[in-house]
């Protein structure tokens, strides 16, 4: 097993991918180890050599007693990069990993090519973290596991991926209490927000629209405002985006961290950015099936709607996905575009974009403004889909 040593502390790391590809460093959140990235890695390996690191106190890395600091954790990452013979790399970090990434960008600007800051913050409630640290040091990580799990993953994801959620919980409970408390101190004491204007590398902030731990409002928005020219992309995920939306996250990273050799042109970048939104709203299975049906005759049209509709419109920050879904339902109902209407009814219900009660209310209001006959057909089309989903659900039981 590869370890780097710094100050008597062993730091576990793993390097995967072709040696001729650009390096992307992946950093985990507090309470998780490098396995956080397991389902995202396959989507990134075609484009990057991936350096994953167990943060001090996590996974196979040592967990010394005492408080850690972001400066200490950033120094750890540089020690690992040296051990892996990586001079300069892009860095993507989740939560605490994002905080470490920002510290890296400030302390070691020559070692960092770009930053991807995922579901993170530059300023947290110090008193809340002080209380959490005290609890962990007194009663262990089990005492805060329910709190952490309630923020790590969305209820919708847990309902359909109970095994994955339980693995995350067990990993949290099994980690050394000293490691969690030490990293908690780094979060408690961080001093990032006032220094962020000094970051001069390309920066992407990825916000989870289901993230209750570091929501964009109050957290990500301040990073975007502080770092010059920072960009933002929203993901349909809670705090641990690499687990909930691995394909969408990977596509976002690949679209942002374009190679320096200029092989990726602007149209391809816009297409991949649109594809992230399209997958988030409609799901990987439907998008993959749609792309597989492309022909020489339809390919340009598919590329255009992905770049424009899915990137330019669905990627705008003014409305959330739920509101946009309702608008699409009302318009397709009014125009009688039943194939598109059915698509958004089905994916909205399957991906927890809205409830059946909310769907009914949209159709009820559309009846007044678009006409009862159109709403009558809409209820019938939606009813067929609901029956199909119920039958499929019963078949799994």
């Amino acid at each position: 097993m590869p370890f780097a040593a710094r100050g008597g502390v062993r730091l576990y790391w793993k390097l995967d991918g072709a040696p001729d590809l650009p390096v992307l460093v992946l950093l985990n959140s507090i309470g998780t180890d490098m396995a956080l990235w397991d389902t995202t890695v396959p989507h990134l390996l075609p484009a990057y050599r991936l350096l994953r690191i167990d943060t001090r106190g996590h996974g196979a890395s040592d967990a010394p007693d005492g408080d850690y600091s972001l400066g200490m954790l950033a120094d750890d990452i540089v020690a690992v990069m040296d051990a892996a013979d990586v001079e300069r790399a892009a860095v993507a970090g989740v939560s605490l990993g994002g905080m470490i990434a920002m510290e890296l960008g400030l302390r070691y600007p020559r070692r960092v090519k770009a930053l991807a800051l995922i579901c993170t913050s530059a300023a947290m409630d110090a008193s809340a973290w002080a209380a959490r640290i005290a609890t962990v040091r007194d009663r262990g990580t089990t005492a805060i596991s329910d709190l952490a799990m309630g923020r790590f993953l969305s209820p919708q994801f847990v309902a359909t991926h109970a095994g994955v959620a339980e693995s995350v919980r067990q990993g949290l409970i099994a980690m050394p209490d000293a490691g969690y408390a030490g990293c908690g101190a780094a979060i408690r004491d961080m001093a990032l927000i006032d220094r962020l204007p000094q970051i001069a590398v390309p920066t992407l902030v990825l916000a989870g629209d289901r993230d209750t731990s570091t929501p964009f409002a109050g957290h990500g928005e301040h990073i975007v405002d502080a770092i010059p020219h920072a960009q933002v992309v929203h993901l349909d995920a809670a705090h641990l985006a690499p687990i909930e939306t691995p394909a969408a996250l990977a596509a976002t990273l690949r679209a942002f961290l374009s190679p320096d050799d200029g092989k990726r042109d602007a149209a391809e970048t816009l297409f991949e950015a649109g594809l992230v939104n399209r997958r988030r709203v409609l799901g990987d299975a439907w998008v993959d099936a749609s792309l597989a049906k492309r022909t020489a005759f339809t390919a340009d049209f598919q590329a255009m709607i992905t770049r424009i509709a899915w990137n330019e419109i669905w990627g705008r920050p003014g409305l959330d996905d739920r509101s946009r879904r309702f608008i699409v339902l009302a318009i397709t109902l009014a125009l009688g575009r039943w194939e598109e209407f059915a698509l958004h009814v089905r994916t909205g219900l399957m991906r927890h974009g809205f409830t059946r009660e909310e769907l009914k209310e949209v159709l009820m209001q559309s009846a007044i403004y678009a006409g009862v006959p159109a709403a009558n057909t809409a209820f019938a089309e939606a009813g067929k889909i609901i029956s199909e989903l119920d039958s499929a659900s019963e078949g799994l039981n």
Side-chain angles (χ1 to χ4, degrees), residues 27-33 36 55-59 68 70 73 93-100 118-120 124 129 132-133 136 141 144 148-149 151-152 168 171-172 175-188 213-214 239-240:
L27 305 178
N28 52 281
S29 71
I30 190 170
T32 69
D33 58 22
L36 171 69
T55 306
R56 174 185 295 244
H58 292 68
Y68 310 163
L70 284 186
L73 299 177
V94 180
S95 189
L96 171 62
M99 300 167 194
I100 298 171
I118 306 161
C119 298
T120 192
M124 298 289 283
W129 273 98
R132 191 185 300 195
I133 294 163
V136 169
T141 54
I144 55 93
M149 290 302 300
R151 298 179 177 182
F152 273 174
V168 173
L172 170 62
M175 77 171 293
D177 300 336
Y180 190 99
C183 282
I187 296 175
R188 178 196 64 199
S213 183
T214 54
H239 198 53
L240 300 186

Side-chain angles (χ1 to χ4, degrees), residues 120-146:
T120 192
S121 179
M124 298 289 283
D125 185 335
S127 61
W129 273 98
R132 191 185 300 195
I133 294 163
T135 298
V136 169
R137 285 181 169 153
D138 183 44
R139 295 188 284 136
T141 54
T142 302
I144 55 93
S145 60
D146 287 341

Side-chain angles (χ1 to χ4, degrees), residues 74-139:
D75 290 347
D76 287 348
I77 304 307
V78 170
V80 172
M81 291 174 66
D82 289 342
D85 198 25
V86 173
E87 177 62 28
R88 194 161 180 255
V91 182
V94 180
S95 189
L96 171 62
M99 300 167 194
I100 298 171
M102 287 183 272
E103 186 69 29
L104 271 171
L106 290 163
R107 293 168 71 91
Y108 300 98
R110 294 182 180 179
R111 305 297 296 269
V112 177
K113 294 172 63 175
L115 295 173
L117 310 174
I118 306 161
C119 298
T120 192
S121 179
M124 298 289 283
D125 185 335
S127 61
W129 273 98
R132 191 185 300 195
I133 294 163
T135 298
V136 169
R137 285 181 169 153
D138 183 44
R139 295 188 284 136

